[in-house]
Amino acid sequence: EDQVTQSPEALRLQEGESSSLNCSYTVSGLRGLFWYRQDPGKGPEFLFTLYSAGEEKEKERLKATLTKKESFLHITAPKPEDSATYLCAYCEVSGGGADGLTFGKGTHLIIQP
Amino acid sequence: DTGVSQDPRHKITKRGQNVTFRCDPISEHNRLYWYRQTLGQGPEFLTYFQNEAQLEKSRLLSDRFSAERPKGSFSTLEIQRTEQGDSAMYLCASSPRETQYFGPGTRLLVL
């Protein structure tokens, strides 16, 4: 069964302490791998789309990378405002036009000052 | 603000009542999606529209749920005979291609 698993479930870091979040996925045909940030009580905010193994994208303190089975979200020198839940999702290649995303449960990140 | 908007933001209802939520997508996006999210979980896909055509429905979308997108613009999601298990955040997203942009969500509480 296709699925996506995120680890760790929760992570507490000191301000400035870099780390990585993991997203493992199993899907027969990957159309896209997505990272979102979600603050409490709000909708997910788009961060990155990755399409093929070896691809990398960066935005401020965040960098997303993709292999054939995993994606990583690297956070460099995080600040307290980076505290949020980070969600990983994929879209599967499908001839039927299905475009719904399959999400992991997320990593709850807390950055302490 | 030209993002996805949803209305209402919060809804409290009694079990057995019907509720309807509205989503206004980003104007140039022809694809629209509904998701449901419960506490501690990622969003779960419910249904997908391309313009006015409903192209996919998840098995999570029981017969009590119906969605429409008349004229390919805004969309509504109706839940009939609500149950306590329907309590969740209902999210709408729109996209021009693969990347989906989410609205703020409607939080539903069924008493």
Side-chain angles (χ1 to χ4, degrees):
Chain A
E1 181 179 324
D2 296 341
Q3 63 177 14
V4 53
T5 303
Q6 293 189 245
S7 62
E9 292 185 4
L11 182 61
R12 189 182 297 265
L13 299 172
Q14 292 295 122
E15 183 173 1
E17 181 184 0
S18 302
S19 188
S20 296
L21 313 183
N22 176 264
C23 171
S24 298
Y25 63 93
T26 55
V27 62
S28 53
L30 181 71
R31 188 170 173 184
L33 188 293
F34 306 85
W35 283 97
Y36 289 86
R37 167 193 172 129
Q38 187 171 30
D39 293 303
K42 297 188 177 181
E45 175 188 345
F46 170 71
L47 294 174
F48 303 107
T49 302
L50 302 167
Y51 292 103
S52 56
E55 189 174 359
E56 297 184 354
K57 289 191 177 175
E58 286 189 69
K59 178 182 177 181
E60 296 180 350
R61 296 177 292 280
L62 301 176
K63 182 170 80 171
T65 62
L66 182 65
T67 71
K68 287 188 177 180
K69 294 185 177 181
E70 293 178 304
S71 180
F72 293 92
L73 184 65
H74 307 278
I75 303 176
T76 302
K79 298 182 178 181
E81 54 262 41
D82 294 322
S83 297
T85 295
Y86 290 85
L87 295 165
C88 168
Y90 69 76
C91 182
E92 182 180 5
V93 171
S94 170
D99 279 352
L101 297 179
T102 299
F103 279 87
K105 293 183 178 182
T107 293
H108 182 51
L109 177 65
I110 298 174
I111 309 299
Q112 293 181 311
Chain B
D1 189 342
T2 57
V4 178
S5 61
Q6 294 187 245
D7 184 70
R9 296 292 310 278
H10 303 274
K11 179 70 176 180
I12 301 174
T13 191
K14 293 183 179 179
R15 189 176 54 185
Q17 297 294 305
N18 299 345
V19 294
T20 300
F21 308 141
R22 176 179 170 124
C23 170
D24 287 90
I26 295 171
S27 59
E28 62 268 26
H29 291 180
N30 62 348
R31 303 179 185 190
L32 187 147
Y33 311 79
W34 286 98
Y35 292 81
R36 180 175 69 188
Q37 186 177 26
T38 54
L39 197 63
Q41 304 294 315
E44 296 174 293
F45 171 73
L46 293 178
T47 191
Y48 158 57
F49 290 85
Q50 184 155 334
N51 298 310
E52 66 275 10
Q54 188 173 19
L55 296 185
E56 187 186 8
K57 293 194 290 186
S58 162
R59 65 183 183 278
L60 294 175
L61 211 67
S62 75
D63 291 344
R64 297 184 298 105
F65 287 69
S66 63
E68 294 182 342
R69 192 183 182 195
K71 302 179 182 179
S73 56
F74 70 92
S75 176
T76 58
L77 178 68
E78 180 182 16
I79 309 174
Q80 296 183 326
R81 305 182 303 282
T82 53
E83 301 173 356
Q84 288 184 325
D86 296 331
S87 296
M89 172 83 90
Y90 289 84
L91 293 161
C92 176
S94 70
S95 73
R97 293 184 62 188
E98 291 87 6
T99 298
Q100 299 179 24
Y101 299 88
F102 285 81
T106 294
R107 182 167 294 283
L108 173 66
L109 178 61
V110 182
L111 301 176

